[in-house]
Structures are given as structure tokens and as C-alpha cells.
Amino acid sequence: MKRFSYTFSMLLFVLIFVPEYLKSQEFMPFAQSNYAGVSGIVLQPASIADSRYRYDAALLGFNLLAGNNYISLKRDALFKKSIWEREDFKKNYMFENLNGKDKSGILGVTMLLPSVMVTLSDKSALAFSSRIRSIVNIDNISQEFAKLAYEDFNYEPLLRKELTN
């Protein structure tokens, strides 16, 4: 149970503080195209008027954005469950950015729910789309507090020290 608790807390911490250089785009690779269909509504609702599809439907789309400027994670560990269970995981696969500056993190989730588009003519179309978006942004976290959280709030040099965030 202790290992599960540790793994869960580390996973939650990494989801909040994933490396800053890991980036993705929200439905962008195909949302700008005339072939985007109902997915193009996310970027530009008028794009469906020139869609190449007569009918398009999306059942579900999911996008996750996470970033920070404190913890980085080796790419090798992302999709290998066995690495996460190692005793030396933190030492060998997670790295801190200790530059003395304040830290920040962001977590965003977007879900494209069932959506439908029908082209009425060459210059008009009708669509119904639904989605859920959520974003959490944390800024100005002192390096000391980030270090304390990274060490599971059990880091002797910072215990019983007043921190302001």
C-alpha cells in the first residue's frame, strides 16, 4: 500500500509539474485544414462553410496540456510502468531546475464531446458541437516550497522555516 501511495503521489506531482519543454497543440494539426470537418470548429467556426465533407461526426476527442519550469522527466520513463516502480526513480529519471527563480506550473484538459456537422451547400454548413475545457495555472511558487513538495514535505533544511508564496 505504501508503494501505491508513493506512486500515486509521484504521478500526481508529475502531472502538475511535467517538463516545460514538453508541448503539444490542441487539435491544431488538422483543425486548420478544409478537411478538418467538425474538429475545425474549435479553432475557427467559419471553417465548416468551406469543408470538403458533406457530413462529419466526432464521438470523442481528448487533449491534455501540462507544463512547469521546475521538474523535468526523462523521456524513457513516460510509457514504461516498470521504471516508475523502481526505488531509484526520482534519482535517475527526475531532475530539478534549481536556478533560484520562482516556479510555475500549468495543467489544462479539453474534451471534444459528440459533435456533428452537415454541409448544406458549397458555402454553408450547420454544426452542433460540445466540449469541456479546464485549466489550472500556478505561478510564483518559491523554489524552497517547490523543493519541500518534491521531497514529500520531509526535507530537513526547510522544516520549521517560514515560507511565503
Side-chain angles (χ1 to χ4, degrees), residues 44-55:
Q44 174 56 279
S47 70
I48 63 171
D50 190 29
S51 177
R52 300 299 185 250
Y53 298 121
R54 293 289 170 211
Y55 171 79

Side-chain angles (χ1 to χ4, degrees), residues 6 83-94:
Y6 175 76
I83 290 176
W84 288 72
E85 296 172 357
R86 291 184 183 174
E87 294 291 327
D88 63 349
F89 176 77
K90 194 187 262 188
K91 178 182 168 191
N92 293 330
Y93 294 97
M94 295 179 74

Side-chain angles (χ1 to χ4, degrees), residues 113-127:
L113 301 173
S115 303
V116 178
M117 179 204 77
V118 177
T119 300
L120 304 174
S121 69
D122 288 342
K123 295 183 179 182
S124 65
L126 180 66

Side-chain angles (χ1 to χ4, degrees), residues 24 43 71 77 80 82 88 137-138 142 160 165:
S24 68
L43 180 63
I71 297 293
K80 294 181 182 174
S82 61
D88 63 349
N137 185 32
I138 302 172
S142 69
R160 293 171 290 284
N165 285 282

Side-chain angles (χ1 to χ4, degrees), residues 8-138:
F8 181 75
S9 64
M10 287 307 298
L11 180 61
L12 184 62
F13 186 78
V14 169
L15 283 176
I16 294 173
F17 295 101
V18 174
E20 184 176 89
Y21 61 84
L22 180 66
K23 302 219 186 277
S24 68
Q25 296 175 338
E26 182 178 334
F27 302 110
M28 295 294 179
F30 59 94
Q32 300 175 12
S33 166
N34 290 1
Y35 294 93
V38 75
S39 299
I41 294 173
V42 173
L43 180 63
Q44 174 56 279
S47 70
I48 63 171
D50 190 29
S51 177
R52 300 299 185 250
Y53 298 121
R54 293 289 170 211
Y55 171 79
D56 188 31
L59 296 178
L60 183 68
F62 182 78
N63 181 55
L64 174 68
L65 162 73
N68 80 90
N69 63 352
Y70 178 56
I71 297 293
S72 60
L73 180 66
K74 267 191 177 177
R75 200 173 298 179
D76 302 345
L78 283 179
F79 301 108
K80 294 181 182 174
K81 182 181 177 185
S82 61
I83 290 176
W84 288 72
E85 296 172 357
R86 291 184 183 174
E87 294 291 327
D88 63 349
F89 176 77
K90 194 187 262 188
K91 178 182 168 191
N92 293 330
Y93 294 97
M94 295 179 74
F95 304 98
E96 298 174 276
N97 177 15
L98 301 173
N99 59 3
K101 296 181 181 179
D102 285 350
K103 308 302 177 197
S104 61
I106 187 169
L107 179 65
V109 176
T110 301
M111 286 184 65
L112 182 63
L113 301 173
S115 303
V116 178
M117 179 204 77
V118 177
T119 300
L120 304 174
S121 69
D122 288 342
K123 295 183 179 182
S124 65
L126 180 66
F128 170 78
S129 83
S130 56
R131 71 177 173 163
I132 298 171
R133 296 186 297 173
S134 177
I135 191 166
V136 175
N137 185 32
I138 302 172

